[in-house]
Amino acid sequence: MVRLRRAEELYAAAAFAEAEALLLPLVEQSPRNLTALLLLGTIAARTKRGATAAQWFERALMLDPDNADIHVKLAAAQRMQRRFNEAIACLERALRLQPRLNAAYLGLGSCYFESGDLERAGSAYLEALRIERSPAAALGLARVLREQRRFDLAERTLRTAAAAHPANPEILATPGILLHETGRAAEAVEALEGALKIDPRGGAALYYLGNLRSEEHTSELQSHSFISYAVFCLK
């Protein structure tokens, strides 16, 4: 158990390779150690090794087949490999075991969205929102609405979520992205700058704000060129 505790500490410190090195011999000695199997699966998932993560979670499920949370973890690993049908089946099993499991509906939303089924993705995210008004569910639904070009509904969804989660930088940044895409540049800048006050390193907000600044600069240059040309023509 000392080795397992040490592996958990290393994992918490994001020392994934070191934690994995401790766990591998542990599961060889104790192949029914559920905690170690789950941690190995989580490490593999965090390091983008979907096939390896799936193998560890499958072994964990053999020990605890009625654990809905493990079904969700396995589905996430399968989704990483774009094994959408298997992931969806896994999530449906999780919901049969635990009908109001929010994570399962979020997983279904992601699977359907990534496989191009926007209608089912939207339904899954809506169900997740009915269970819990989480930022992940609101962002997922807004992403679907954005793809469907239903920008007003997407913006309304995000503003409702922002009222419930005023310190969530991703929730605050996404309306700025929508405003940018619908040509409302001044409002977009205001929303993105508000998100950056909460999270100055916010990647999406920085990226879109940079695009807006670049567009403003290009527009100024084009305007200047047009004026110069007009003056030339009048001479």
Side-chain angles (χ1 to χ4, degrees):
M1 289 304 104
V2 172
R3 188 184 299 174
L4 180 56
R5 280 199 300 273
R6 179 57 183 152
E8 289 172 334
E9 290 169 359
L10 288 166
Y11 171 78
F16 301 132
E18 293 88 340
E20 190 173 44
L22 279 178
L23 290 166
L24 289 171
L26 177 59
V27 295
E28 283 185 17
Q29 296 166 8
S30 307
R32 297 181 63 81
N33 189 319
L34 183 61
T35 304
L37 291 170
L38 289 172
L39 188 51
L40 278 167
T42 303
I43 289 169
R46 287 284 300 274
T47 50
K48 308 300 182 187
R49 291 174 290 144
T52 302
Q55 289 171 2
W56 291 121
F57 291 136
E58 283 165 358
R59 284 182 59 176
L61 266 182
M62 290 174 67
L63 299 176
D64 192 2
D66 293 333
N67 189 316
D69 290 328
I70 301 177
H71 282 284
V72 172
K73 291 177 189 293
L74 175 57
Q78 291 166 334
R79 182 167 63 86
M80 287 173 69
Q81 303 166 76
R82 302 190 66 78
R83 293 160 56 189
F84 296 121
N85 289 338
E86 292 168 81
I88 289 166
C90 212
L91 292 163
E92 287 172 346
R93 283 194 291 273
L95 287 168
R96 285 195 292 274
L97 291 164
Q98 196 172 328
R100 289 181 58 79
L101 184 58
N102 187 265
Y105 282 109
L106 291 174
L108 281 172
S110 296
C111 284
Y112 286 129
F113 183 85
E114 290 171 22
S115 61
D117 191 337
L118 296 180
E119 288 301 321
R120 287 185 178 175
S123 296
Y125 286 127
L126 273 172
E127 193 58 40
L129 274 173
R130 288 190 190 102
I131 294 167
E132 180 188 344
R133 294 192 173 277
S134 68
L139 286 165
L141 181 58
R143 187 172 54 162
V144 171
L145 293 167
R146 174 184 167 198
E147 285 296 311
Q148 294 173 326
R149 316 298 291 176
R150 297 161 71 185
F151 293 115
D152 287 348
L153 273 176
E155 188 179 343
R156 199 181 314 157
T157 298
L158 289 165
R159 293 205 182 280
T160 301
H165 305 280
N168 186 298
E170 195 174 1
I171 287 282
L172 295 175
T174 309
I177 296 167
L178 288 172
L179 291 164
H180 172 225
E181 291 178 346
T182 51
R184 293 151 67 186
E187 293 173 78
V189 167
E190 185 180 350
L192 292 166
E193 286 178 342
L196 286 172
K197 286 176 185 175
I198 290 174
D199 180 13
R201 299 173 64 186
L206 283 170
Y207 172 79
Y208 277 92
L209 194 56
N211 280 354
L212 280 164
R213 298 298 189 205
S214 174
E215 287 167 12
E216 285 173 1
H217 181 62
T218 302
S219 178
E220 284 171 10
L221 287 175
Q222 287 171 341
S223 227
H224 179 71
S225 299
F226 176 78
I227 292 165
S228 299
Y229 178 69
V231 169
F232 172 77
C233 290
L234 290 168
K235 285 182 178 178

